[in-house]
Amino acid sequence: MSTENLPQSPEQPPRKPRVAVVFGGRSSEHGISVVTAGAVLRAIDRTKYDVLPIGITRDGRWALTADEPERMAITDRRTPSVEELAESNEGGVILPVDPANREVVYSEPGSVPKALGEVDVVFPVLHGPYGEDGTLQGLLELSGVPYVGAGVLASAVGQDKEYMKRVFTSFGLKVGPYVVIRPREWERDESAARKKIIDFAGEHGWPLFVKPARAGSSIGITKVDDLAGLDEAIAEAQRHDPKVIVEALLRGREIECGVLEFEDGPRASVPAEIPPAQSHAYYDFEAKYIDSTPGIVPAPLTPEETAEVQRLAVEAFEATSCEGLVRADFFLTEDGEFVINEINTMPGFTPISMYPQMWQASGIAYPELVDRLVEAALRRSTGLR
């Protein structure tokens, strides 16, 4: 019997890649991660991608959340939380651990688990420990799911300010003076650990910046003008990380530069300058996100200075084996030398954050930036590369 005249079933349209936007997390940067996720959810091309928002609560539960970016904004000087967005107080999202299966499952106590479909790529917009430090990246590598941004090693190095500086130094990038107090040193002999910092101040002078070694968004940082404020500053840093790094003041201009992975390799954006915050002692969390102290984009640099900081930013990206994106932060000292302060492998990514602003000034608008990062992740394989 001929089938020539039988009605033909229409072909199924190809499935759109599914992007899981993962945000929140257990670090002190939980709130700003939620804000970042809201910006990404607003910007991502829904005609091109299916989107699955997954929030991680402060206690580490993976929650299915509402896809409502308007609820993920700073209001009344307060950052939002995953707990406010979770569809259930008990349910949890489970990622596959079998690289042959990318099916995500949602489970609630007393209910049959519900399949949420396959995930093709994860866009992790977590900041700080348990998200930006290689831990989540390792989980995704085990699951065989591609993801936006740096891999395990680069994420870990980029999170730990001590080892980041050690890597930079080994590649010939200049860093400022610093000293590290590890938890065992502090536990073994507080007086000796404190003297180590006092001796450092004697060599490099006050003020000093006392920081958690593995935190970001300027959280837990104290500018210490003299010995009287040292103990309180150490206690504040240790509230966020038992490992403390102390840095000498570098006099000069704060210059930032974005790096983005293109098909032919990483390229640098136009740089930006962070002017001294008028109502803050330095560029702290409130200056960045609450009061939105504006940066100057592009930075008022000579063409030679611009080319040099762009070159150094790409060098920092390559030195730490980064992928996807990086924001590299420098000081342009009074003698005209660029000193690298740090990199961020998942920098602040709201539309008012410096990284998107630098790329906007370089000709890449926020939605295109999101799209390029997802595309770069989809091009990469997981595992050794």
Side-chain angles (χ1 to χ4, degrees), residues 254-276:
E254 290 190 53
I255 306 293
E256 298 184 348
C257 191
V259 180
L260 179 64
E261 181 182 346
F262 287 75
E263 291 84 346
D264 60 351
R267 301 182 203 168
S269 70
V270 300
E273 180 168 4
I274 308 301

Side-chain angles (χ1 to χ4, degrees), residues 26-368:
R26 294 162 57 188
S27 83
S28 51
E29 297 174 81
H30 177 102
I32 200 60
S33 172
V34 179
V35 175
T36 297
V40 171
L41 290 171
R42 277 190 293 272
I44 197 165
D45 187 348
R46 303 301 180 110
T47 67
K48 188 173 179 179
Y49 304 109
D50 284 330
V51 181
L52 177 66
I54 299 173
I56 302 177
T57 63
R58 286 187 171 92
D59 62 4
R61 179 172 63 92
W62 289 50
L64 190 63
T65 65
D67 187 1
E68 298 175 6
E70 65 277 3
R71 293 172 58 194
M72 303 180 184
I74 294 172
T75 54
D76 299 324
R77 302 178 69 84
R78 179 180 159 276
T79 56
S81 71
V82 168
E83 286 79 0
E84 297 165 352
L85 300 162
E87 294 192 353
S88 163
N89 292 327
E90 296 182 321
V93 174
I94 303 168
L95 281 184
V97 291
D98 179 1
N101 173 26
R102 293 183 180 175
E103 190 87 28
V104 175
V105 173
Y106 178 71
S107 177
E108 286 194 53
S111 301
V112 176
K114 178 173 68 175
L116 300 178
E118 291 190 353
V119 165
D120 298 288
V121 63
V122 169
F123 198 136
V125 291
L126 295 111
H127 305 299
Y130 311 110
E132 192 185 349
D133 61 348
T135 50
L136 176 64
Q137 290 73 16
L139 173 63
L140 296 173
E141 292 286 352
L142 288 173
S143 302
V145 180
Y147 53 92
V148 169
V152 175
L153 174 67
S155 296
V157 170
Q159 187 64 39
D160 190 310
K161 293 178 175 63
E162 176 193 1
Y163 287 98
M164 182 198 310
K165 292 176 188 293
R166 288 181 181 273
V167 169
F168 288 154
T169 301
S170 72
F171 277 82
L173 293 162
K174 186 173 179 59
V175 304
Y178 68 96
V179 65
V180 174
I181 305 297
R182 295 183 176 83
R184 288 180 186 173
E185 291 180 84
W186 191 257
E187 292 162 7
R188 187 167 55 240
D189 190 339
E190 282 189 24
S191 296
R194 191 181 293 104
K195 183 177 184 301
K196 186 175 174 182
I197 300 174
I198 295 169
D199 290 346
F200 178 78
E203 183 179 357
H204 299 285
W206 302 90
L208 301 176
F209 288 89
V210 180
K211 305 180 178 183
R214 296 163 292 192
S217 295
S218 299
I219 290 173
I221 297 177
T222 306
K223 181 183 179 185
V224 182
D225 293 313
D226 53 42
L227 187 58
L230 184 59
D231 284 353
E232 186 178 342
I234 292 169
E236 173 61 18
Q238 288 175 332
R239 215 162 57 77
H240 302 276
D241 185 353
K243 181 178 177 181
V244 174
I245 187 167
V246 179
E247 297 174 349
L249 174 68
L250 288 176
R251 301 191 185 279
R253 299 160 62 189
E254 290 190 53
I255 306 293
E256 298 184 348
C257 191
V259 180
L260 179 64
E261 181 182 346
F262 287 75
E263 291 84 346
D264 60 351
R267 301 182 203 168
S269 70
V270 300
E273 180 168 4
I274 308 301
Q278 297 302 314
S279 57
H280 299 266
Y282 59 96
Y283 193 47
D284 62 5
F285 180 86
E286 289 206 350
K288 287 179 180 179
Y289 297 110
I290 305 299
D291 296 327
S292 302
T293 301
I296 303 169
V297 187
L301 300 171
T302 66
E304 294 76 17
E305 288 170 337
T306 295
E308 176 66 0
V309 76
Q310 289 174 324
R311 181 186 70 81
L312 291 171
V314 172
E315 277 196 18
F317 183 97
E318 297 281 29
T320 46
S321 299
C322 281
E323 294 167 295
L325 72 164
V326 147
R327 193 194 72 229
D329 300 346
F330 297 85
F331 289 102
L332 177 55
T333 63
E334 294 171 343
D335 60 4
E337 184 175 35
F338 282 104
V339 176
I340 189 163
N341 185 37
E342 64 180 22
I343 58 167
N344 283 266
T345 56
M346 183 50 70
F349 205 78
T350 69
I352 65 166
S353 299
M354 294 313 302
Y355 184 85
Q357 284 194 52
M358 288 186 286
W359 280 108
Q360 175 80 40
S362 304
I364 298 179
Y366 191 89
E368 184 185 349

